[in-house]
Amino acid sequence: MKVVPRTIGHNLMIPDAKLSIESIDPFRQRIRIVDPSAPPQSDAHLLGELRVFDARLKGPSQMNLPFEMDAIVIDWLTFQNPKAAFTPDRQKLPGQQYPGLGILRTCMQGILDLAKQTSKEAVVNIPEYYHNAVLYRPAFRFSSPEVEGRFIALQKFLSPFSLAQASNLVTDQKIVVEPDGKPLVWRPQEQVLGLIPRISDYFTSLPYIEKVKEAEQTYHFCFE
């Protein structure tokens, strides 16, 4: 399939950009946007890629109820502008080769539409980096209230910094968890956006909120 977009985020003009949709396996799909004018083996060839899969997920609940959901899981999502350069205003985020396209919200709307059309109960993201978790908020919440509370405390601690600075500090393990003095190690955890009351109500329930607040007050950070 070929598309001829006027622009692809941040005024990137790629008149001959191509869109491909393929099944990696029966449950995993991949959508790619590529620039055919760039060498296929180069990083500049890829403008965007989304990989999602269907999953039936189970997890611990704070309400003495089974926390199960039929979800679309975002396995991989990247957008990049090979024609742009990083600047003081657009600093490099961990894992980036080129600046992003600024179309995350547009893409997320498409994912939500897909999830609703296929009667999914939730969309799940597993952020590889700190900045991924920040960008998916406030719609997504960590399924574990302890992880959510720790994340909120970490966000407040890093609020004086830009997103790029904060994410690099986390990735480089420059932050220490008090009082044990151990470096903070970012471990990907499930962030969930509930699409039905049974899931969304979990994140607004009193037990979940209380445990989030407890964790937020427990965790304190400093720099090494």
Side-chain angles (χ1 to χ4, degrees):
M1 181 185 300
K2 181 177 179 179
V3 294
V4 184
R6 183 179 180 184
T7 60
I8 308 178
H10 291 309
N11 297 319
L12 173 62
M13 296 292 295
I14 307 287
D16 297 322
K18 291 185 178 180
L19 172 70
S20 64
I21 303 175
E22 60 183 276
S23 294
I24 301 174
D25 57 48
F27 302 99
R28 194 179 306 264
Q29 312 296 321
R30 178 169 70 180
I31 300 173
R32 304 181 87 226
I33 305 173
V34 299
D35 178 2
S37 66
Q41 69 275 13
S42 73
D43 292 336
H45 179 68
L46 182 66
L47 304 174
E49 181 173 1
L50 167 66
R51 296 197 298 264
V52 296
F53 63 88
D54 294 332
R56 184 75 184 179
L57 303 177
K58 297 182 180 181
S61 170
Q62 304 303 319
M63 299 183 291
N64 297 319
L65 295 171
F67 190 55
E68 300 183 13
M69 50 191 160
D70 186 15
I72 282 183
V73 180
I74 302 172
D75 186 33
W76 177 259
L77 176 61
T78 184
F79 293 107
Q80 62 181 20
N81 183 352
K83 298 181 182 297
F86 294 106
T87 67
D89 293 330
R90 295 184 66 195
Q91 298 173 322
K92 183 178 180 179
L93 295 164
Q96 279 191 319
Q97 297 294 323
Y98 302 101
L101 288 172
I103 59 174
L104 177 61
R105 290 187 179 182
T106 301
C107 179
M108 278 307 307
Q109 188 57 58
I111 294 172
L112 290 177
D113 289 343
L114 173 63
K116 292 174 181 177
Q117 290 172 14
T118 54
S119 301
K120 297 302 178 184
E121 298 172 327
V123 177
V124 176
N125 163 58
I126 306 174
E128 184 177 1
Y129 298 103
Y130 169 82
H131 65 269
N132 298 137
V134 173
L135 292 172
Y136 278 96
R137 287 181 64 86
F140 287 72
R141 294 287 187 272
F142 285 102
S143 58
S144 165
E146 180 179 357
V147 174
E148 178 73 11
R150 181 182 61 188
F151 179 70
I152 293 173
L154 181 60
Q155 271 195 295
K156 290 181 178 179
F157 176 72
L158 293 171
S159 60
F161 301 93
S162 70
L163 181 59
Q165 291 170 331
S167 194
N168 278 293
L169 286 169
V170 174
T171 300
D172 295 339
Q173 297 185 16
K174 299 296 184 181
I175 299 169
V176 172
V177 181
E178 295 182 325
D180 59 15
K182 295 181 180 179
L184 173 70
V185 178
W186 180 262
R187 292 185 173 87
Q189 302 274 352
E190 294 85 358
Q191 277 184 311
V192 179
L193 171 58
L195 301 178
I196 61 171
R198 181 175 64 83
I199 305 299
S200 57
D201 289 352
Y202 167 80
F203 297 101
T204 58
S205 67
L206 185 59
Y208 180 86
I209 292 172
E210 288 179 340
K211 289 184 177 295
V212 168
K213 290 182 178 179
E214 180 182 349
E216 181 185 349
Q217 295 169 358
T218 298
Y219 282 94
H220 301 279
F221 307 97
C222 65
F223 293 110
E224 66 173 8

